[in-house]
Amino acid sequence: MSEVNSSERVGGWTRFVTARPRLALLAALVITALAVFAGSGVADRMGSGGWEAPDAESTWTTRVLEREFPASQPNLLLLVDSGDVPVDDPAVAAEAVRLTERLAAEPGITGVGSYWRTKSPALRSSDGREAIVAARIAGDEKGAGEILDRIAPDYQGVHGPVEVSVGGPVAVRHEMQSIIQEDLLRAELIALPVTLVLLVMVFGSAVAALLPLGVGIVAILGTNAVLRGITEFTDVSVFAQNLTTALGLGLAIDYALFIVRRFREELSAGADPRTAIGTTLRTAGRTVLFSALTVAVSLAAMMVFPQYFLRSFAYAGIAVVLLAAAAALILLPAALMLLGPRVNALDLRRLPRRRRATPAAGPDASPDAPEDSGRGWARLSVLVMRRAPVFAVVTTVGLVLLGLPFLGVKFGTADDRQLPATAESRIVQEHIREGFPGSPGGGLEVLAEGAASSGRYADFKERIEALPGVRQVNGPVTGDGFAYYDVLPEGEPVGQQAQDLVRELRAEPAPFDTSVTGTAAVLVDSKDAIADRLPWAVGIIVVVTLLLVFLLTGSVLIPLQAVVLNALSLTAMFGAVVWVFQDGNLSGILSFTSTGDVETTLPVLMFCVAFGLSMDYGVFLLSRIKEEYDRTGDHEHAVTFGLRRTGGLITAAAVILAVVMVAIGTSRVTNTKMLGLGIALAVLMDAMVVRSLLVPAVMKLMGGVTWWAPAPLRAFHRRFGLSEGESAPTAGQDAEERSGVTGRERDKITAGA
C-alpha cells in the first residue's frame, strides 16, 4: 500500500481508539467480566493426554480392543498390599475377591479381573506380598476422571487385612491434571508480583507499570473463555493453560512495553497526547501488529500435527497472541489518552534520579528521554561492529556447542514418572514396574481380524515367538470375529528393541488382518506422524516469516538472516533439554526423575513457541533499525540506533517473560518444568546474546548489501510493505547525536577494543 494510504489508515485508527476512551475502557471491563464467567471451569473440561496420533494404527487397534476385549486394556489398577502375609492367605484372598466383585458392580466399570480370579503370575509381585485388581473405566478422559473421583475414595486405604492404592493410566492422567492446575495457580501468584516489580524498575512510574500488567490479564482471561468454547467441539490439553499464562503475560507486556515507551518518548518531545498516540500507533503499533502475526504463524504451524496435545497449544497460542495485540492496540491507547502526562505519575525512581540530576538535564527529565537512555547499548553496538568477525564466529561456535547434546536425543512417551515422587498413582506404577514380573501394562497387543481356525491362530503364535526381542506370548484370546495376542518384549517396554519389535510384528505375514498397539506402538506411530508433518510445519513457519520480515524491511537478505539467527538462538534450549532432562543432570536440584528420553512432542512444541518469541524480539529490533536507515541511509548508524533504542527494552521484556516461564517451570510435572525452563533459557539467549552480539556483528559484515532486493520486489514493497517511521530521510539530522555515541566516545571504544 502507499505511504499516504497507510498514514490515512493509521490516522483513522487513532481517531477510532481515542474518540471515546472512557466508553472503550468500560466496554473492555464488561467484556473481561464476561470472559471470567465464560472461562470459569475450563481446566475441568481439558484432557491430560493427546500424545497419540488419532489416525494411527495403534489408536484404531486400541479402540477395537476396548470395544471387543475390555479386559485387555485396563486403565484402572488397584494395588493390594497384604503386608507381612502372602496374597494367597485365605483372609487376604477373601477380602480381595470382595473388592473385585464390588468394583465390577460399579457403573461405568468393565473388564474387571484380578490375580485371585486368574492366578496369573504377572498380576502378583515377585515377593508375593502385593497383587493387582485391574479394570477398565469406560468413556472419554473427562468421563473417566469423573468416575475415578466418585469411586477412588471408597477403595483407597485399609480394608481389613489389606491396604489398597489406586493407580493405572486413568489415575496418572487425572492426578497430573490436578497437579497442573495447582501449579499454575502457584506460578501466577509468583509471576504477577515479580513482574510488577520489574515493570516498576523499567518504567519508574507505578501507573505506567500497571498498564502492561492489565493488558496481560485481559489477554489471559479472554483466552480462557476462547478455550472454554473450543472444548465444546474438540479435545484441548490442560497443558495449554500454562502457555496461555506465559504468553498472555509475556507478549502483552512486550507489546505494552514498546507502546508505552514510545508514547512517553513522544510526550517528552513535546507532543500532545492525541498526537503522541498517533505517532505511537504509526510506529510501535505497526511493529506490534507484525510481531503478533509472526508469533501467531509460528504457533499455528502446530495445527498440521494430528496429536491434540500439539493442536491445543496452537488454539491457546493464537488466541492469546491476537488478544494481547488487540488489547495493546485498542485498550492501551484509550487508557493512554485518558492518562496523558499522568502516565508518569507515582514515579518511584524520582528521589534517586533527583540526586543524580544535573542542571542540564533538570530534575524533571523524563526517564525515557532519548538523550538520557541507551548509551551503553550504543557503545556495545560500536564495539561489536568494530570486531564483527570475532563476535560473529565466537558467538556462533558457542551456540552450536551448546546445542550439540541434542544430537544424542532419544524420544519416548510420557508416563507416571512425570509426576512427583509422592503422587499415589506414580507410587503404584513404580511398585508394578519394579516388583512385578513381565512389566504388566508394558506389553504389545496384536489384534487379529477375521475368523480363523485354532490351527492358524496357533501357527501365527509360533511365528511371533520366533521373532527377535520377544520374551513371551500369551493368547490368543478369541471373540466374535476378532482375537488378540499379548506380546511381552525383551528389555524396556518403550526401548529401541520394543520399537523394532513393533515394526517386525506389523511386517509379519498372517492368514488374517493384523494390527499392533501398546506403549511402544503408540510411540512408533507418534514419531512417524511428527516426522511426516514436521517439514510442513517448518516450511509454513519459514515461508511466512520470510514474507512478513520482507514486508517490514523491504530486504531479501534480512529475512534469511532472521530465520538463521533465530534457529541459532534455540540451540542452547535444545542442548539443555537433553543434557538436563534426558540425561538427568541437575535432576536433584530441579526435583524431577529422568526417564532417559524426551517426550516426542515436546521439542516440536518448544521449537514453535521459542521461534515465535525470538521473532518477536527480532521484529522490534529490525523495525527501529529500518526506521533509522530510511531516515539517514547510514547502515552502521542505523544498527547502533536500533540497538540503543531497543536493547534495554528487549532485555527487560525478555527478563520479564523468563520470570513468567521460570514460574511455570516450578511445576511438579516434568514436561511443564521442561517447557518453562527451556523457553526461559531460549528467550534469554536470544535477547542477551543473539540480539545484542550476533545481529549487529552479522549486519556489519553484510554491510549495505543487507538492504538489497531485486527491482520487482522493491516495487512490491513500496506498494504493500509497512515499516516504522516515515519513509523519507530527514535532512540535517546529526547521526552522532541521535545514536548517543559521540566521535570521541567512538574513538575510545575503538582504542579499547
Side-chain angles (χ1 to χ4, degrees):
M1 67 182 65
S2 68
E3 184 67 25
V4 173
N5 289 338
S6 176
S7 299
E8 288 177 352
R9 291 185 182 183
V10 174
W13 184 252
T14 302
R15 289 190 295 273
F16 172 75
V17 297
T18 60
R20 298 286 188 274
R22 289 184 176 82
L23 182 60
L25 293 178
L26 178 61
L29 183 62
V30 172
I31 293 173
T32 303
L34 292 175
V36 172
F37 175 76
S40 61
V42 61
D44 295 332
R45 299 184 60 84
M46 292 179 164
S48 54
W51 291 285
E52 67 280 355
D55 55 350
E57 176 182 319
S58 57
T59 305
W60 179 86
T61 306
T62 298
R63 289 171 182 163
V64 175
L65 288 171
E66 290 173 359
R67 184 184 70 241
E68 301 293 334
F69 307 99
S72 71
Q73 298 288 301
N75 57 11
L76 175 65
L77 302 177
L78 302 184
L79 181 66
V80 180
D81 185 345
S82 59
D84 295 331
V85 299
V87 293
D88 291 310
D89 179 85
V92 171
E95 182 61 29
V97 169
R98 188 188 70 79
L99 288 171
T100 302
E101 293 173 348
R102 179 182 170 191
L103 183 62
E106 297 278 2
I109 301 294
T110 61
V112 179
S114 70
Y115 164 73
W116 295 272
R117 279 187 174 180
T118 65
K119 296 299 180 181
S120 170
L123 298 179
R124 186 182 66 177
S125 64
S126 300
D127 64 5
R129 298 292 190 269
E130 294 176 325
I132 294 173
V133 178
R136 177 157 195 87
I137 301 180
D140 57 15
E141 287 184 22
K142 182 176 182 295
E146 292 174 350
I147 293 174
L148 181 68
D149 277 337
R150 174 172 56 82
I151 68 173
D154 295 333
Y155 292 88
Q156 293 167 321
V158 177
H159 296 265
V162 301
E163 184 175 0
V164 179
S165 301
V166 177
V170 69
V172 170
R173 288 197 300 266
H174 194 60
E175 195 160 9
M176 187 178 297
Q177 187 171 8
S178 300
I179 290 175
I180 287 173
Q181 293 180 45
E182 295 170 3
D183 291 348
L184 183 59
L185 177 60
R186 187 182 69 250
E188 291 171 345
L189 294 176
I190 294 172
L192 286 173
V194 175
T195 297
L196 181 58
V197 171
L198 292 174
L199 287 170
V200 170
M201 293 173 64
V202 172
F203 284 125
S205 163
V207 172
L210 287 171
L211 293 175
L213 204 59
V215 172
I217 292 173
V218 169
I220 292 171
L221 295 176
T223 302
N224 283 338
V226 172
L227 291 178
R228 174 62 176 80
I230 293 175
T231 59
E232 296 290 339
F233 305 99
T234 187
D235 293 321
V236 179
S237 172
V238 69
F239 286 92
Q241 274 204 303
N242 294 289
L243 186 70
T244 297
T245 296
L247 290 186
L249 281 176
L251 288 179
I253 288 171
D254 285 357
Y255 299 156
L257 272 173
F258 279 84
I259 287 177
V260 173
R261 184 67 171 264
R262 189 61 179 247
F263 177 75
R264 296 175 83 190
E265 286 183 9
E266 297 302 321
L267 287 183
S268 69
D272 64 88
R274 189 178 298 275
T275 302
I277 290 173
T279 303
T280 298
L281 291 177
R282 189 176 64 251
T283 55
R286 286 175 174 172
T287 303
V288 165
L289 182 59
F290 262 78
S291 173
L293 290 174
T294 305
V295 177
V297 167
S298 296
L299 297 171
M302 287 185 283
M303 292 288 290
V304 306
F305 297 100
Q307 294 94 333
Y308 86 73
F309 174 79
L310 289 174
R311 297 171 71 90
S312 298
F313 286 92
Y315 305 146
I318 294 171
V320 77
V321 169
L322 296 182
L323 286 170
L329 295 175
I330 299 174
L331 302 183
L332 189 55
L336 293 174
M337 183 66 190
L338 290 175
L339 288 171
R342 288 174 296 179
V343 72
N344 296 317
L346 299 179
D347 190 346
L348 304 180
R349 299 184 307 189
R350 180 176 299 171
L351 181 59
R353 188 161 58 246
R354 281 180 174 174
R355 290 176 179 174
R356 299 193 305 266
T358 64
D364 297 324
S366 169
D368 295 316
E371 62 270 20
D372 290 336
S373 60
R375 290 183 182 272
W377 291 101
R379 294 189 184 103
L380 175 64
S381 175
V382 172
L383 175 62
V384 170
M385 289 193 287
R386 175 63 179 171
R387 295 286 185 264
V390 174
F391 278 97
V393 172
V394 171
T395 305
T396 300
V397 170
L399 290 172
V400 170
L401 290 176
L402 289 174
L404 286 180
F406 193 72
L407 296 177
V409 65
K410 299 175 183 177
F411 295 109
T413 58
D415 60 21
D416 58 278
R417 287 169 289 182
Q418 294 280 319
L419 295 171
T422 55
E424 180 180 353
S425 58
R426 173 176 172 174
I427 293 172
V428 170
Q429 297 304 121
E430 286 183 340
H431 275 250
I432 294 172
R433 185 165 45 244
E434 297 170 3
F436 284 69
S439 298
L444 301 170
E445 288 83 33
V446 180
L447 177 68
E449 183 179 1
S453 64
S454 58
R456 288 190 171 184
Y457 283 138
D459 290 342
F460 187 62
K461 179 177 180 179
E462 292 176 0
R463 290 160 68 176
I464 295 175
E465 291 173 330
L467 292 175
V470 174
R471 174 191 297 174
Q472 180 181 339
V473 181
N474 298 317
V477 177
T478 59
D480 186 12
F482 294 93
Y484 80 93
Y485 303 83
D486 187 23
V487 181
L488 296 180
E490 298 282 358
E492 291 292 325
V494 293
Q496 189 57 51
Q497 192 172 11
Q499 295 177 53
D500 292 339
L501 179 58
V502 170
R503 295 185 174 91
E504 293 283 347
L505 288 169
R506 288 175 173 173
E508 185 67 24
F512 30 68
D513 293 331
T514 62
S515 55
V516 181
T517 190
T519 307
V522 170
L523 175 58
V524 168
D525 290 339
S526 181
K527 290 167 63 175
D528 289 346
I530 289 176
D532 182 55
R533 308 290 180 89
L534 187 60
W536 288 98
V538 174
I540 290 170
I541 292 174
V542 170
V543 170
V544 178
T545 298
L546 292 175
L547 176 61
L548 289 175
V549 178
F550 168 75
L551 290 175
L552 181 68
T553 64
S555 165
V556 170
L557 299 181
I558 288 180
L560 295 172
Q561 169 196 306
V563 169
V564 173
L565 297 188
N566 272 19
L568 276 175
S569 72
L570 307 184
T571 54
M573 176 185 71
F574 284 124
V577 162
V578 172
W579 190 79
V580 175
F581 291 95
Q582 175 180 296
D583 299 341
N585 296 292
L586 306 182
S587 59
I589 296 174
L590 298 178
S591 300
F592 70 91
T593 300
S594 172
T595 59
D597 52 43
V598 177
E599 203 284 315
T600 313
T601 59
L602 256 294
V604 176
L605 168 63
M606 296 174 76
F607 168 79
C608 292
V609 174
F611 189 92
L613 293 174
S614 297
M615 280 306 307
D616 181 47
Y617 299 133
V619 165
F620 286 130
L621 175 58
L622 290 174
S623 64
R624 292 309 290 262
I625 294 175
K626 169 65 174 173
E627 175 186 359
E628 191 66 7
Y629 182 76
D630 285 345
R631 289 161 59 91
T632 67
D634 185 335
H635 174 68
E636 290 189 31
H637 160 69
V639 175
T640 300
F641 177 90
L643 191 61
R644 179 209 166 192
R645 286 298 181 90
T646 64
L649 212 54
I650 287 175
T651 302
V655 169
I656 291 171
L657 180 57
V659 166
V660 177
M661 295 307 306
V662 168
I664 297 294
T666 62
S667 173
R668 293 166 290 170
V669 176
T670 305
N671 273 357
T672 307
K673 189 186 299 289
M674 186 189 309
L675 176 67
L677 298 182
I679 293 179
L681 177 60
V683 165
L684 293 176
M685 291 296 293
D686 181 76
M688 297 183 177
V689 177
V690 174
R691 303 298 153 204
S692 302
L693 303 177
L694 197 52
V695 168
V698 170
M699 295 194 81
K700 165 66 176 178
L701 293 174
M702 293 176 65
V705 74
T706 297
W707 306 99
W708 176 84
L713 290 181
R714 287 200 303 272
F716 179 86
H717 181 263
R718 282 194 298 270
R719 181 171 179 81
F720 298 103
L722 292 174
S723 62
E724 279 203 9
E726 307 297 340
S727 59
T730 301
Q733 293 179 324
D734 184 80
E736 289 182 349
E737 180 182 351
R738 284 191 311 275
S739 67
V741 180
T742 65
R744 183 175 300 175
E745 289 172 331
R746 191 184 300 272
D747 291 341
K748 287 182 180 179
I749 294 170
T750 301

